Amino acid sequence: MQVQNNLKFLRKRKNLTQESLAQALGISRSKLAGYESTINPPIETLVKISDYLRISLDILLKEDLCNYSEYKLRELLETDQFLRGRKLRILSTTVDAEGRELIEVVSQRVKASYLAGFSDPEFISELPRFSLPFLPMDKKHRVFQVDGDSMLPIPDGAWIVCEYLDDWMAIKDGERYVIVTEQDGVTFKIAYNRIKDQEKLLLCSSNPIYPPSK
C-alpha cells in the first residue's frame, strides 16, 4: 500500500504539521508519525484521512502521488467530484524526465482502440508523443487526427491539438470539440451544451449532409 508515503506527501503539500493533522483526525501525533512511516492505519482512520484530505480512499491506498505530475495532482486535489469517487473519469498521461506533460498523438489508425485504452497507462505510453513549450503547462493537451469529411472545410486527415476539459459545463455552444463517447467513439463535432436542462450534448457536423447526433 502507498498510504504512508501519500499521507506524508499530502500533509506537507497542504502545509499541515503532524500535530495539527493529528488533532483534526482525533489521534495522537505519535500515531500519525507511525502511519507516515511503517504502520498501516485502521480502516476507520483511513476513512477519516480520506475525508479530511479530500482524496478518494482507493487512490490513497494504491497510487504513488509522489510520481504524479503537477497537472494530475491538481486534477485529483481540486476537482471535488473526482476526489469523492463520483462521476469518475480517468485520463492517463505521459510525462518527460522532468515530470512535464507530453502531448500524445491519436491517429486515425488507433482511434478504434482509443475508447477502450484512454485510461490504460500502457496503451497511452505506446502512442507517439511530443511537446509544445508554448502551450500552457497547467493544461492537458492531446492531438487527434480528423477522420472523414463531416467537419469541412477541415479536411480528412487534419491534425487537431485539443485541451482536456474536466468539467462538462465548460463546453460552449458552437465551439468545436473532440468528444469520446461509448456509442460513436472518437468524434470531432460542433457542440451545443444541453447538460443542465436535458442532460445531453447536441453534436453537429459543419457539413450539412450529416444530421446532428445527441
Side-chain angles (χ1 to χ4, degrees):
M1 291 196 301
Q2 299 290 338
V3 63
Q4 289 87 6
N5 291 336
N6 287 339
L7 178 56
K8 186 175 183 178
F9 175 80
L10 291 171
R11 176 179 62 78
K12 290 185 174 182
R13 184 179 174 87
K14 293 177 178 291
N15 296 317
L16 296 170
T17 64
Q18 283 188 334
E19 185 66 33
S20 62
L21 180 55
Q23 288 180 356
L25 298 174
I27 60 177
S28 66
R29 190 198 64 78
S30 60
K31 277 191 175 181
L32 179 63
Y35 297 155
E36 289 187 355
S37 56
T38 59
I39 301 173
N40 290 326
I43 186 63
E44 59 270 17
T45 302
L46 284 171
V47 172
K48 289 181 180 179
I49 293 171
S50 172
D51 287 344
Y52 186 77
L53 296 178
R54 301 182 67 195
I55 188 79
S56 75
L57 192 56
D58 184 62
I59 290 173
L60 181 66
L61 295 175
K62 296 180 180 180
E63 300 292 327
D64 185 359
L65 298 180
C66 298
N67 293 330
Y68 274 33
S69 66
E70 183 61 28
Y71 168 84
K72 200 164 187 179
L73 282 172
R74 281 196 299 272
E75 183 182 58
L76 286 172
L77 303 178
E78 296 176 10
T79 307
D80 185 66
Q81 288 187 338
F82 183 87
L83 300 177
R84 298 185 179 277
R86 297 191 295 267
K87 300 182 181 178
L88 180 62
R89 286 178 291 143
I90 299 174
L91 183 72
S92 294
T93 188
T94 55
V95 297
D96 63 16
E98 298 180 2
R100 294 173 297 196
E101 297 282 341
L102 294 172
I103 302 172
E104 299 84 14
V105 178
V106 181
S107 65
Q108 292 179 359
R109 182 178 60 84
V110 301
K111 273 187 176 182
S113 304
Y114 186 78
L115 181 61
F118 73 92
S119 62
D120 181 357
E122 184 176 354
F123 172 81
I124 296 301
S125 68
E126 294 175 353
L127 295 176
R129 50 194 182 273
F130 65 102
S131 62
L132 291 175
F134 55 83
L135 292 177
M137 297 299 293
D138 61 342
K139 303 292 184 181
K140 174 59 191 173
H141 298 88
R142 188 158 288 168
V143 171
F144 294 87
Q145 189 175 24
V146 173
D147 186 5
D149 62 353
S150 67
M151 290 298 288
L152 292 175
I154 299 175
D156 177 42
W159 298 94
I160 308 295
V161 180
C162 303
E163 177 186 307
Y164 177 68
L165 288 181
D166 56 10
D167 181 359
W168 291 118
M169 300 309 296
I171 293 177
K172 298 178 181 179
D173 288 349
E175 296 290 338
R176 291 173 169 82
Y177 296 90
V178 170
I179 296 178
V180 182
T181 67
E182 185 175 4
Q183 181 179 2
D184 299 321
V186 180
T187 60
F188 179 47
K189 298 293 182 182
I190 300 170
Y192 294 88
N193 196 331
R194 303 293 184 265
I195 295 175
K196 184 176 180 180
D197 299 327
Q198 304 175 31
E199 297 185 352
K200 63 184 178 182
L201 295 172
L202 178 63
L203 304 180
C204 301
S205 302
S206 58
N207 188 334
I209 70 171
Y210 293 96
S213 60
K214 300 177 182 179

